[in-house]
Amino acid sequence: MTLDEVILELYRIAETREWSGKKTDEALATAIEGMEQIWTLRQADVRRDAKVRALKKQPRVWS
């Protein structure tokens, strides 16, 4: 399952509030929690990539 498929499934759970054939508020809470975790992981990746790019030596420009 790809990350995009996981996100779509979490949106479906959040919209329908149905999980394993049962309609519950727990399904909505689980979907929201899953989306928050994905967002947190993506933000950490962005920060890590920014640090790597900042540490790379910038090329000198001679004029």
Side-chain angles (χ1 to χ4, degrees), residues 33-52:
E33 183 178 322
M35 287 186 260
E36 287 174 347
Q37 287 179 357
I38 290 170
W39 184 80
T40 301
L41 290 173
R42 283 190 172 178
Q43 291 300 311
D45 286 345
V46 167
R47 284 189 203 106
R48 186 174 50 249
D49 291 344
K51 286 181 184 177
V52 168

Side-chain angles (χ1 to χ4, degrees), residues 10-19 22-35:
L10 289 171
Y11 275 114
R12 185 199 62 76
I13 290 171
E15 270 186 1
T16 62
R17 292 187 182 193
E18 191 171 310
W19 191 18
K22 300 176 187 172
K23 282 191 175 254
T24 64
D25 287 335
E26 182 184 1
L28 179 61
T30 301
I32 291 170
E33 183 178 322
M35 287 186 260

